[in-house]
Amino acid sequence: MNANSPLDQRLAFMDRCTRCSQCKFVPVPKSREHASACPSMDYVEYHAGSASGQLIMASGIAHGEISYTPSLLETVSACTMCGACDTACKINFAELVEPLEGLYAFRARIVEDGQSPKRHREVMDKIAATGNSQGQPRAGRATWAAGISFDSAPKVLLHVGSVLSYDTNKHASLRLIAETLQKAGLCPGYLGEDEGSCGMLAWDLGYHHMARSLAQTFMAQVRASGAKTVVTFSSSAISAYRSIYPRMGLDLSGIRFLHFTEYLLELVETSTLALGAAPTYDGKTVAFHDTCKLGRLTEPYQETDRALQKEMGGIYVSRTPQAIHFSQNGIYEAPRALLRLMGITVEELERNRQYSYCCGAQGGVKETLPAAAKMAARNRLDELNETESSTMVSACGNCAHHLGKHARDAFTVVDLIDIVATSLTATKGGK
Ligand code: SF4
Ligand code: SF4
């Protein structure tokens, strides 16, 4: 036991897990078929794959009662760090367990103990060498922006993120949006090849020191730019800014962090930009996939009371002063509002908003256990069978790419950025 270890600090919470299994299911499911909340439980198919199972293993490691084995590490690697377990657990137990905090601490302990899976280490090596998890050269990061001149003393700093920066299929949409902002007189800034990883993946893989270092570098770049608003195209980055950076003790004061859907909606609502009917989708119905990072994992971090008291005949309670959040404060409305403004009808999947089901693209699962990532994507896509729509839209480039890769039959997956980019214009005279 090490009192300074994040895992040992979570022990009191982890050991309070009642094994009730609520974390495996969406609260009040609409059907038996889509009742699951947890892709790793669906893949592993026994309790160890659930948040509760992982907490039991983590507790065993912290108490020195069990040792690492290949199957333990593979089971942990199937977890996408999607946080659905945390939302479901809080319905009954509020902050008494907070399983996701235990999962973060467990992954950090695995790294600390030198047990990080080989594929995770390879991803981290690539981030350290190139600033992105694909290991793409830094020199190629800003090719999407060739010829566009950005403001050197901007009010708004654009952050593109690794996925879209290196996805040549997204470059036209990024250019259209950047050029429309300039036509509207907004003149954003952009770090170009100096933009690096936001640190979210490093955090999810348990490399918390590296995540902190990446976050510090980014915040120093933001301060040096003079921008007071950061607009990111990455759902991982907005999750990091609002939920992870506050845990690191970074100075975030005076900076607004927005996802591009929030920013564009704000500009449309203030008549700086106009959003017309979507060329291909006007009048059509689509189903919206809430990305975990953009939704429940973008809820601002809330520090809860760690000093649990035993009261009322042995029931543990806390005295966290503010009301506990239940993941309802993620970004849910902005992408839906943009779709509606473009003449598109938005249909809800059975598991939506804070109860959305992870597509499998996050948490290092795609890299370590591609079969688990594929299974999660197929499970998610199957929900289209219960809708009128055959098109699923995501506001995350990572999810859209992963879901699209595994879509079957007549189902298609569209990235929201590609619909918005062609429907956006600067209003006359701009800002
Ligand atoms: S983590 Fe929470 S929801 Fe899951 S079994 Fe434990 S107490 Fe129940
Ligand atoms: S974070 Fe997601 S995949 Fe991991 S245990 Fe929780 S619900 Fe399951």
PDB file of all heavy atoms in Angstrom, residues 68-69 72-74 76-77 106-125 201-202 204-208 363-364 368:
ATOM      1  N   TYR A  68      -0.584  -9.420 -11.518  1.00  0.00           N
ATOM      2  CA  TYR A  68      -0.942  -9.212 -12.922  1.00  0.00           C
ATOM      3  C   TYR A  68      -0.793 -10.518 -13.697  1.00  0.00           C
ATOM      4  O   TYR A  68       0.176 -11.249 -13.497  1.00  0.00           O
ATOM      5  CB  TYR A  68      -0.027  -8.161 -13.550  1.00  0.00           C
ATOM      6  CG  TYR A  68      -0.228  -6.771 -12.992  1.00  0.00           C
ATOM      7  CD1 TYR A  68       0.695  -6.221 -12.108  1.00  0.00           C
ATOM      8  CD2 TYR A  68      -1.340  -6.021 -13.349  1.00  0.00           C
ATOM      9  CE1 TYR A  68       0.519  -4.939 -11.602  1.00  0.00           C
ATOM     10  CE2 TYR A  68      -1.533  -4.743 -12.837  1.00  0.00           C
ATOM     11  CZ  TYR A  68      -0.596  -4.210 -11.966  1.00  0.00           C
ATOM     12  OH  TYR A  68      -0.784  -2.955 -11.456  1.00  0.00           O
ATOM     13  N   THR A  69      -1.753 -10.785 -14.550  1.00  0.00           N
ATOM     14  CA  THR A  69      -1.666 -11.927 -15.470  1.00  0.00           C
ATOM     15  C   THR A  69      -2.034 -11.414 -16.858  1.00  0.00           C
ATOM     16  O   THR A  69      -2.690 -10.369 -16.983  1.00  0.00           O
ATOM     17  CB  THR A  69      -2.663 -13.049 -15.100  1.00  0.00           C
ATOM     18  OG1 THR A  69      -3.996 -12.515 -15.249  1.00  0.00           O
ATOM     19  CG2 THR A  69      -2.466 -13.554 -13.677  1.00  0.00           C
ATOM     20  N   LEU A  72      -5.755 -10.807 -17.069  1.00  0.00           N
ATOM     21  CA  LEU A  72      -6.204  -9.612 -16.334  1.00  0.00           C
ATOM     22  C   LEU A  72      -5.948  -8.378 -17.187  1.00  0.00           C
ATOM     23  O   LEU A  72      -6.831  -7.526 -17.369  1.00  0.00           O
ATOM     24  CB  LEU A  72      -5.457  -9.493 -15.002  1.00  0.00           C
ATOM     25  CG  LEU A  72      -5.810  -8.298 -14.096  1.00  0.00           C
ATOM     26  CD1 LEU A  72      -5.594  -8.644 -12.617  1.00  0.00           C
ATOM     27  CD2 LEU A  72      -5.016  -7.036 -14.424  1.00  0.00           C
ATOM     28  N   LEU A  73      -4.755  -8.289 -17.756  1.00  0.00           N
ATOM     29  CA  LEU A  73      -4.403  -7.098 -18.539  1.00  0.00           C
ATOM     30  C   LEU A  73      -5.229  -7.006 -19.818  1.00  0.00           C
ATOM     31  O   LEU A  73      -5.624  -5.923 -20.235  1.00  0.00           O
ATOM     32  CB  LEU A  73      -2.899  -7.105 -18.853  1.00  0.00           C
ATOM     33  CG  LEU A  73      -2.023  -6.901 -17.604  1.00  0.00           C
ATOM     34  CD1 LEU A  73      -0.570  -7.230 -17.892  1.00  0.00           C
ATOM     35  CD2 LEU A  73      -2.148  -5.476 -17.076  1.00  0.00           C
ATOM     36  N   GLU A  74      -5.541  -8.156 -20.428  1.00  0.00           N
ATOM     37  CA  GLU A  74      -6.376  -8.113 -21.627  1.00  0.00           C
ATOM     38  C   GLU A  74      -7.799  -7.670 -21.276  1.00  0.00           C
ATOM     39  O   GLU A  74      -8.424  -6.900 -22.009  1.00  0.00           O
ATOM     40  CB  GLU A  74      -6.412  -9.481 -22.320  1.00  0.00           C
ATOM     41  CG  GLU A  74      -7.290  -9.426 -23.557  1.00  0.00           C
ATOM     42  CD  GLU A  74      -7.102 -10.604 -24.496  1.00  0.00           C
ATOM     43  OE1 GLU A  74      -5.977 -11.115 -24.601  1.00  0.00           O
ATOM     44  OE2 GLU A  74      -8.113 -10.997 -25.116  1.00  0.00           O
ATOM     45  N   VAL A  76      -8.708  -5.708 -18.822  1.00  0.00           N
ATOM     46  CA  VAL A  76      -8.696  -4.257 -18.572  1.00  0.00           C
ATOM     47  C   VAL A  76      -8.591  -3.488 -19.893  1.00  0.00           C
ATOM     48  O   VAL A  76      -9.202  -2.426 -20.066  1.00  0.00           O
ATOM     49  CB  VAL A  76      -7.526  -3.888 -17.621  1.00  0.00           C
ATOM     50  CG1 VAL A  76      -7.406  -2.380 -17.472  1.00  0.00           C
ATOM     51  CG2 VAL A  76      -7.730  -4.539 -16.253  1.00  0.00           C
ATOM     52  N   SER A  77      -7.847  -4.051 -20.846  1.00  0.00           N
ATOM     53  CA  SER A  77      -7.645  -3.371 -22.138  1.00  0.00           C
ATOM     54  C   SER A  77      -8.918  -3.296 -22.967  1.00  0.00           C
ATOM     55  O   SER A  77      -8.984  -2.546 -23.934  1.00  0.00           O
ATOM     56  CB  SER A  77      -6.576  -4.096 -22.965  1.00  0.00           C
ATOM     57  OG  SER A  77      -5.351  -4.060 -22.308  1.00  0.00           O
ATOM     58  N   PHE A 106      -6.622   2.887 -11.756  1.00  0.00           N
ATOM     59  CA  PHE A 106      -6.129   1.527 -12.027  1.00  0.00           C
ATOM     60  C   PHE A 106      -5.174   1.546 -13.216  1.00  0.00           C
ATOM     61  O   PHE A 106      -4.091   0.960 -13.181  1.00  0.00           O
ATOM     62  CB  PHE A 106      -7.319   0.594 -12.285  1.00  0.00           C
ATOM     63  CG  PHE A 106      -6.969  -0.882 -12.325  1.00  0.00           C
ATOM     64  CD1 PHE A 106      -5.810  -1.369 -11.739  1.00  0.00           C
ATOM     65  CD2 PHE A 106      -7.820  -1.788 -12.950  1.00  0.00           C
ATOM     66  CE1 PHE A 106      -5.490  -2.729 -11.773  1.00  0.00           C
ATOM     67  CE2 PHE A 106      -7.521  -3.143 -12.985  1.00  0.00           C
ATOM     68  CZ  PHE A 106      -6.339  -3.609 -12.401  1.00  0.00           C
ATOM     69  N   ARG A 107      -5.583   2.242 -14.284  1.00  0.00           N
ATOM     70  CA  ARG A 107      -4.695   2.299 -15.458  1.00  0.00           C
ATOM     71  C   ARG A 107      -3.374   2.991 -15.109  1.00  0.00           C
ATOM     72  O   ARG A 107      -2.316   2.596 -15.590  1.00  0.00           O
ATOM     73  CB  ARG A 107      -5.399   3.005 -16.614  1.00  0.00           C
ATOM     74  CG  ARG A 107      -6.482   2.124 -17.239  1.00  0.00           C
ATOM     75  CD  ARG A 107      -6.525   2.283 -18.740  1.00  0.00           C
ATOM     76  NE  ARG A 107      -7.400   1.291 -19.335  1.00  0.00           N
ATOM     77  CZ  ARG A 107      -7.763   1.312 -20.605  1.00  0.00           C
ATOM     78  NH1 ARG A 107      -7.339   2.278 -21.407  1.00  0.00           N
ATOM     79  NH2 ARG A 107      -8.543   0.371 -21.096  1.00  0.00           N
ATOM     80  N   ALA A 108      -3.438   4.024 -14.270  1.00  0.00           N
ATOM     81  CA  ALA A 108      -2.196   4.710 -13.866  1.00  0.00           C
ATOM     82  C   ALA A 108      -1.309   3.756 -13.071  1.00  0.00           C
ATOM     83  O   ALA A 108      -0.083   3.747 -13.216  1.00  0.00           O
ATOM     84  CB  ALA A 108      -2.528   5.952 -13.049  1.00  0.00           C
ATOM     85  N   ARG A 109      -1.920   2.920 -12.232  1.00  0.00           N
ATOM     86  CA  ARG A 109      -1.159   1.960 -11.434  1.00  0.00           C
ATOM     87  C   ARG A 109      -0.503   0.891 -12.328  1.00  0.00           C
ATOM     88  O   ARG A 109       0.633   0.472 -12.089  1.00  0.00           O
ATOM     89  CB  ARG A 109      -2.098   1.308 -10.413  1.00  0.00           C
ATOM     90  CG  ARG A 109      -1.449   0.245  -9.572  1.00  0.00           C
ATOM     91  CD  ARG A 109      -0.276   0.822  -8.730  1.00  0.00           C
ATOM     92  NE  ARG A 109       0.106  -0.119  -7.719  1.00  0.00           N
ATOM     93  CZ  ARG A 109      -0.358  -0.105  -6.463  1.00  0.00           C
ATOM     94  NH1 ARG A 109      -1.176   0.839  -6.066  1.00  0.00           N
ATOM     95  NH2 ARG A 109       0.028  -1.008  -5.607  1.00  0.00           N
ATOM     96  N   ILE A 110      -1.243   0.479 -13.363  1.00  0.00           N
ATOM     97  CA  ILE A 110      -0.698  -0.520 -14.295  1.00  0.00           C
ATOM     98  C   ILE A 110       0.563   0.037 -14.969  1.00  0.00           C
ATOM     99  O   ILE A 110       1.570  -0.663 -15.108  1.00  0.00           O
ATOM    100  CB  ILE A 110      -1.785  -0.923 -15.335  1.00  0.00           C
ATOM    101  CG1 ILE A 110      -2.861  -1.763 -14.644  1.00  0.00           C
ATOM    102  CG2 ILE A 110      -1.175  -1.683 -16.506  1.00  0.00           C
ATOM    103  CD1 ILE A 110      -4.107  -2.016 -15.490  1.00  0.00           C
ATOM    104  N   VAL A 111       0.517   1.320 -15.342  1.00  0.00           N
ATOM    105  CA  VAL A 111       1.690   1.957 -15.951  1.00  0.00           C
ATOM    106  C   VAL A 111       2.821   2.050 -14.926  1.00  0.00           C
ATOM    107  O   VAL A 111       3.975   1.692 -15.202  1.00  0.00           O
ATOM    108  CB  VAL A 111       1.324   3.366 -16.486  1.00  0.00           C
ATOM    109  CG1 VAL A 111       2.581   4.126 -16.927  1.00  0.00           C
ATOM    110  CG2 VAL A 111       0.346   3.251 -17.654  1.00  0.00           C
ATOM    111  N   GLU A 112       2.462   2.496 -13.726  1.00  0.00           N
ATOM    112  CA  GLU A 112       3.449   2.652 -12.636  1.00  0.00           C
ATOM    113  C   GLU A 112       4.149   1.319 -12.344  1.00  0.00           C
ATOM    114  O   GLU A 112       5.347   1.268 -12.077  1.00  0.00           O
ATOM    115  CB  GLU A 112       2.667   3.095 -11.390  1.00  0.00           C
ATOM    116  CG  GLU A 112       3.434   3.789 -10.299  1.00  0.00           C
ATOM    117  CD  GLU A 112       2.450   4.113  -9.160  1.00  0.00           C
ATOM    118  OE1 GLU A 112       1.494   4.879  -9.397  1.00  0.00           O
ATOM    119  OE2 GLU A 112       2.621   3.566  -8.076  1.00  0.00           O
ATOM    120  N   ASP A 113       3.398   0.231 -12.448  1.00  0.00           N
ATOM    121  CA  ASP A 113       3.947  -1.097 -12.163  1.00  0.00           C
ATOM    122  C   ASP A 113       4.635  -1.715 -13.380  1.00  0.00           C
ATOM    123  O   ASP A 113       5.006  -2.900 -13.353  1.00  0.00           O
ATOM    124  CB  ASP A 113       2.834  -2.042 -11.666  1.00  0.00           C
ATOM    125  CG  ASP A 113       2.347  -1.669 -10.271  1.00  0.00           C
ATOM    126  OD1 ASP A 113       3.066  -0.923  -9.573  1.00  0.00           O
ATOM    127  OD2 ASP A 113       1.244  -2.123  -9.877  1.00  0.00           O
ATOM    128  N   GLY A 114       4.761  -0.953 -14.461  1.00  0.00           N
ATOM    129  CA  GLY A 114       5.453  -1.453 -15.658  1.00  0.00           C
ATOM    130  C   GLY A 114       4.695  -2.539 -16.388  1.00  0.00           C
ATOM    131  O   GLY A 114       5.290  -3.374 -17.066  1.00  0.00           O
ATOM    132  N   GLN A 115       3.357  -2.541 -16.264  1.00  0.00           N
ATOM    133  CA  GLN A 115       2.551  -3.615 -16.870  1.00  0.00           C
ATOM    134  C   GLN A 115       1.714  -3.122 -18.058  1.00  0.00           C
ATOM    135  O   GLN A 115       0.817  -3.828 -18.516  1.00  0.00           O
ATOM    136  CB  GLN A 115       1.595  -4.199 -15.800  1.00  0.00           C
ATOM    137  CG  GLN A 115       2.306  -4.820 -14.617  1.00  0.00           C
ATOM    138  CD  GLN A 115       3.023  -6.109 -14.991  1.00  0.00           C
ATOM    139  OE1 GLN A 115       2.646  -6.801 -15.938  1.00  0.00           O
ATOM    140  NE2 GLN A 115       4.074  -6.439 -14.252  1.00  0.00           N
ATOM    141  N   SER A 116       1.989  -1.919 -18.521  1.00  0.00           N
ATOM    142  CA  SER A 116       1.204  -1.370 -19.632  1.00  0.00           C
ATOM    143  C   SER A 116       1.326  -2.268 -20.864  1.00  0.00           C
ATOM    144  O   SER A 116       2.430  -2.688 -21.222  1.00  0.00           O
ATOM    145  CB  SER A 116       1.741   0.027 -19.957  1.00  0.00           C
ATOM    146  OG  SER A 116       0.998   0.613 -20.977  1.00  0.00           O
ATOM    147  N   PRO A 117       0.202  -2.582 -21.535  1.00  0.00           N
ATOM    148  CA  PRO A 117       0.267  -3.457 -22.715  1.00  0.00           C
ATOM    149  C   PRO A 117       1.195  -2.882 -23.794  1.00  0.00           C
ATOM    150  O   PRO A 117       1.313  -1.665 -23.932  1.00  0.00           O
ATOM    151  CB  PRO A 117      -1.178  -3.500 -23.218  1.00  0.00           C
ATOM    152  CG  PRO A 117      -2.008  -3.106 -22.055  1.00  0.00           C
ATOM    153  CD  PRO A 117      -1.180  -2.178 -21.224  1.00  0.00           C
ATOM    154  N   LYS A 118       1.799  -3.783 -24.559  1.00  0.00           N
ATOM    155  CA  LYS A 118       2.766  -3.381 -25.592  1.00  0.00           C
ATOM    156  C   LYS A 118       2.171  -2.350 -26.553  1.00  0.00           C
ATOM    157  O   LYS A 118       2.806  -1.363 -26.902  1.00  0.00           O
ATOM    158  CB  LYS A 118       3.202  -4.642 -26.359  1.00  0.00           C
ATOM    159  CG  LYS A 118       4.231  -4.403 -27.430  1.00  0.00           C
ATOM    160  CD  LYS A 118       4.783  -5.752 -27.918  1.00  0.00           C
ATOM    161  CE  LYS A 118       5.710  -5.580 -29.102  1.00  0.00           C
ATOM    162  NZ  LYS A 118       5.052  -5.589 -30.388  1.00  0.00           N
ATOM    163  N   ARG A 119       0.927  -2.568 -26.980  1.00  0.00           N
ATOM    164  CA  ARG A 119       0.315  -1.646 -27.937  1.00  0.00           C
ATOM    165  C   ARG A 119       0.127  -0.260 -27.325  1.00  0.00           C
ATOM    166  O   ARG A 119       0.236   0.748 -28.014  1.00  0.00           O
ATOM    167  CB  ARG A 119      -1.033  -2.191 -28.444  1.00  0.00           C
ATOM    168  CG  ARG A 119      -0.925  -3.378 -29.349  1.00  0.00           C
ATOM    169  CD  ARG A 119      -0.294  -3.039 -30.719  1.00  0.00           C
ATOM    170  NE  ARG A 119      -1.180  -2.232 -31.557  1.00  0.00           N
ATOM    171  CZ  ARG A 119      -0.853  -1.072 -32.104  1.00  0.00           C
ATOM    172  NH1 ARG A 119       0.350  -0.558 -31.911  1.00  0.00           N
ATOM    173  NH2 ARG A 119      -1.704  -0.404 -32.853  1.00  0.00           N
ATOM    174  N   HIS A 120      -0.164  -0.205 -26.022  1.00  0.00           N
ATOM    175  CA  HIS A 120      -0.282   1.107 -25.368  1.00  0.00           C
ATOM    176  C   HIS A 120       1.075   1.806 -25.365  1.00  0.00           C
ATOM    177  O   HIS A 120       1.175   3.008 -25.614  1.00  0.00           O
ATOM    178  CB  HIS A 120      -0.791   0.965 -23.934  1.00  0.00           C
ATOM    179  CG  HIS A 120      -2.247   0.592 -23.839  1.00  0.00           C
ATOM    180  ND1 HIS A 120      -2.953   0.609 -22.655  1.00  0.00           N
ATOM    181  CD2 HIS A 120      -3.132   0.190 -24.793  1.00  0.00           C
ATOM    182  CE1 HIS A 120      -4.202   0.230 -22.884  1.00  0.00           C
ATOM    183  NE2 HIS A 120      -4.330  -0.036 -24.161  1.00  0.00           N
ATOM    184  N   ARG A 121       2.130   1.045 -25.083  1.00  0.00           N
ATOM    185  CA  ARG A 121       3.481   1.641 -25.048  1.00  0.00           C
ATOM    186  C   ARG A 121       3.856   2.157 -26.437  1.00  0.00           C
ATOM    187  O   ARG A 121       4.451   3.225 -26.571  1.00  0.00           O
ATOM    188  CB  ARG A 121       4.496   0.601 -24.558  1.00  0.00           C
ATOM    189  CG  ARG A 121       4.461   0.425 -23.033  1.00  0.00           C
ATOM    190  CD  ARG A 121       5.533  -0.532 -22.556  1.00  0.00           C
ATOM    191  NE  ARG A 121       5.043  -1.903 -22.557  1.00  0.00           N
ATOM    192  CZ  ARG A 121       5.617  -2.940 -23.165  1.00  0.00           C
ATOM    193  NH1 ARG A 121       6.742  -2.777 -23.822  1.00  0.00           N
ATOM    194  NH2 ARG A 121       5.088  -4.147 -23.108  1.00  0.00           N
ATOM    195  N   GLU A 122       3.457   1.390 -27.446  1.00  0.00           N
ATOM    196  CA  GLU A 122       3.780   1.833 -28.818  1.00  0.00           C
ATOM    197  C   GLU A 122       3.058   3.139 -29.158  1.00  0.00           C
ATOM    198  O   GLU A 122       3.633   4.037 -29.777  1.00  0.00           O
ATOM    199  CB  GLU A 122       3.384   0.739 -29.819  1.00  0.00           C
ATOM    200  CG  GLU A 122       4.325  -0.468 -29.783  1.00  0.00           C
ATOM    201  CD  GLU A 122       3.785  -1.657 -30.567  1.00  0.00           C
ATOM    202  OE1 GLU A 122       2.641  -1.594 -31.080  1.00  0.00           O
ATOM    203  OE2 GLU A 122       4.518  -2.662 -30.650  1.00  0.00           O
ATOM    204  N   VAL A 123       1.788   3.233 -28.740  1.00  0.00           N
ATOM    205  CA  VAL A 123       1.028   4.465 -28.996  1.00  0.00           C
ATOM    206  C   VAL A 123       1.704   5.643 -28.282  1.00  0.00           C
ATOM    207  O   VAL A 123       1.876   6.732 -28.859  1.00  0.00           O
ATOM    208  CB  VAL A 123      -0.438   4.303 -28.516  1.00  0.00           C
ATOM    209  CG1 VAL A 123      -1.150   5.644 -28.445  1.00  0.00           C
ATOM    210  CG2 VAL A 123      -1.198   3.356 -29.444  1.00  0.00           C
ATOM    211  N   MET A 124       2.115   5.407 -27.046  1.00  0.00           N
ATOM    212  CA  MET A 124       2.750   6.486 -26.279  1.00  0.00           C
ATOM    213  C   MET A 124       4.083   6.896 -26.900  1.00  0.00           C
ATOM    214  O   MET A 124       4.429   8.080 -26.900  1.00  0.00           O
ATOM    215  CB  MET A 124       2.949   6.050 -24.821  1.00  0.00           C
ATOM    216  CG  MET A 124       1.659   5.910 -24.040  1.00  0.00           C
ATOM    217  SD  MET A 124       0.575   7.349 -24.159  1.00  0.00           S
ATOM    218  CE  MET A 124       1.641   8.634 -23.595  1.00  0.00           C
ATOM    219  N   ASP A 125       4.832   5.937 -27.428  1.00  0.00           N
ATOM    220  CA  ASP A 125       6.098   6.267 -28.100  1.00  0.00           C
ATOM    221  C   ASP A 125       5.837   7.175 -29.301  1.00  0.00           C
ATOM    222  O   ASP A 125       6.580   8.121 -29.569  1.00  0.00           O
ATOM    223  CB  ASP A 125       6.815   4.990 -28.563  1.00  0.00           C
ATOM    224  CG  ASP A 125       7.409   4.216 -27.384  1.00  0.00           C
ATOM    225  OD1 ASP A 125       7.515   4.800 -26.284  1.00  0.00           O
ATOM    226  OD2 ASP A 125       7.748   3.029 -27.563  1.00  0.00           O
ATOM    227  N   LEU A 201      -5.641  10.875 -24.762  1.00  0.00           N
ATOM    228  CA  LEU A 201      -5.357   9.449 -24.940  1.00  0.00           C
ATOM    229  C   LEU A 201      -4.306   8.985 -23.930  1.00  0.00           C
ATOM    230  O   LEU A 201      -4.425   7.897 -23.351  1.00  0.00           O
ATOM    231  CB  LEU A 201      -4.902   9.167 -26.379  1.00  0.00           C
ATOM    232  CG  LEU A 201      -4.677   7.697 -26.739  1.00  0.00           C
ATOM    233  CD1 LEU A 201      -5.902   6.832 -26.444  1.00  0.00           C
ATOM    234  CD2 LEU A 201      -4.272   7.550 -28.210  1.00  0.00           C
ATOM    235  N   ALA A 202      -3.293   9.814 -23.704  1.00  0.00           N
ATOM    236  CA  ALA A 202      -2.272   9.471 -22.701  1.00  0.00           C
ATOM    237  C   ALA A 202      -2.924   9.272 -21.338  1.00  0.00           C
ATOM    238  O   ALA A 202      -2.600   8.325 -20.600  1.00  0.00           O
ATOM    239  CB  ALA A 202      -1.209  10.567 -22.631  1.00  0.00           C
ATOM    240  N   ASP A 204      -6.117   8.415 -20.740  1.00  0.00           N
ATOM    241  CA  ASP A 204      -6.927   7.192 -20.771  1.00  0.00           C
ATOM    242  C   ASP A 204      -6.068   5.938 -20.657  1.00  0.00           C
ATOM    243  O   ASP A 204      -6.499   4.931 -20.095  1.00  0.00           O
ATOM    244  CB  ASP A 204      -7.745   7.120 -22.068  1.00  0.00           C
ATOM    245  CG  ASP A 204      -9.094   7.811 -21.948  1.00  0.00           C
ATOM    246  OD1 ASP A 204      -9.462   8.210 -20.833  1.00  0.00           O
ATOM    247  OD2 ASP A 204      -9.776   7.953 -22.981  1.00  0.00           O
ATOM    248  N   LEU A 205      -4.862   5.988 -21.225  1.00  0.00           N
ATOM    249  CA  LEU A 205      -3.990   4.804 -21.186  1.00  0.00           C
ATOM    250  C   LEU A 205      -3.246   4.697 -19.853  1.00  0.00           C
ATOM    251  O   LEU A 205      -2.500   3.736 -19.646  1.00  0.00           O
ATOM    252  CB  LEU A 205      -2.992   4.825 -22.350  1.00  0.00           C
ATOM    253  CG  LEU A 205      -3.590   4.820 -23.764  1.00  0.00           C
ATOM    254  CD1 LEU A 205      -2.499   4.652 -24.814  1.00  0.00           C
ATOM    255  CD2 LEU A 205      -4.641   3.726 -23.941  1.00  0.00           C
ATOM    256  N   GLY A 206      -3.434   5.678 -18.995  1.00  0.00           N
ATOM    257  CA  GLY A 206      -2.821   5.613 -17.658  1.00  0.00           C
ATOM    258  C   GLY A 206      -1.505   6.363 -17.535  1.00  0.00           C
ATOM    259  O   GLY A 206      -0.884   6.367 -16.474  1.00  0.00           O
ATOM    260  N   TYR A 207      -1.078   7.018 -18.612  1.00  0.00           N
ATOM    261  CA  TYR A 207       0.186   7.775 -18.588  1.00  0.00           C
ATOM    262  C   TYR A 207      -0.111   9.208 -18.125  1.00  0.00           C
ATOM    263  O   TYR A 207      -0.063  10.161 -18.909  1.00  0.00           O
ATOM    264  CB  TYR A 207       0.834   7.753 -19.971  1.00  0.00           C
ATOM    265  CG  TYR A 207       1.377   6.400 -20.353  1.00  0.00           C
ATOM    266  CD1 TYR A 207       0.530   5.397 -20.827  1.00  0.00           C
ATOM    267  CD2 TYR A 207       2.729   6.103 -20.220  1.00  0.00           C
ATOM    268  CE1 TYR A 207       1.011   4.140 -21.170  1.00  0.00           C
ATOM    269  CE2 TYR A 207       3.223   4.848 -20.562  1.00  0.00           C
ATOM    270  CZ  TYR A 207       2.358   3.876 -21.035  1.00  0.00           C
ATOM    271  OH  TYR A 207       2.836   2.631 -21.362  1.00  0.00           O
ATOM    272  N   HIS A 208      -0.417   9.351 -16.859  1.00  0.00           N
ATOM    273  CA  HIS A 208      -0.908  10.635 -16.369  1.00  0.00           C
ATOM    274  C   HIS A 208       0.181  11.706 -16.343  1.00  0.00           C
ATOM    275  O   HIS A 208      -0.107  12.885 -16.550  1.00  0.00           O
ATOM    276  CB  HIS A 208      -1.551  10.459 -14.997  1.00  0.00           C
ATOM    277  CG  HIS A 208      -2.839   9.678 -15.067  1.00  0.00           C
ATOM    278  ND1 HIS A 208      -3.678   9.491 -13.990  1.00  0.00           N
ATOM    279  CD2 HIS A 208      -3.446   9.018 -16.101  1.00  0.00           C
ATOM    280  CE1 HIS A 208      -4.737   8.763 -14.355  1.00  0.00           C
ATOM    281  NE2 HIS A 208      -4.603   8.460 -15.630  1.00  0.00           N
ATOM    282  N   GLY A 363     -10.127   4.930 -25.763  1.00  0.00           N
ATOM    283  CA  GLY A 363      -9.519   4.225 -24.629  1.00  0.00           C
ATOM    284  C   GLY A 363      -8.407   3.265 -25.007  1.00  0.00           C
ATOM    285  O   GLY A 363      -8.001   2.435 -24.200  1.00  0.00           O
ATOM    286  N   GLY A 364      -7.930   3.343 -26.260  1.00  0.00           N
ATOM    287  CA  GLY A 364      -6.852   2.445 -26.685  1.00  0.00           C
ATOM    288  C   GLY A 364      -7.357   1.083 -27.136  1.00  0.00           C
ATOM    289  O   GLY A 364      -6.564   0.220 -27.517  1.00  0.00           O
ATOM    290  N   THR A 368      -5.516  -1.907 -29.279  1.00  0.00           N
ATOM    291  CA  THR A 368      -5.101  -3.096 -28.532  1.00  0.00           C
ATOM    292  C   THR A 368      -5.962  -4.315 -28.821  1.00  0.00           C
ATOM    293  O   THR A 368      -5.464  -5.434 -28.944  1.00  0.00           O
ATOM    294  CB  THR A 368      -5.160  -2.799 -27.010  1.00  0.00           C
ATOM    295  OG1 THR A 368      -4.620  -1.520 -26.786  1.00  0.00           O
ATOM    296  CG2 THR A 368      -4.394  -3.831 -26.212  1.00  0.00           C
TER     297      THR A 368
END
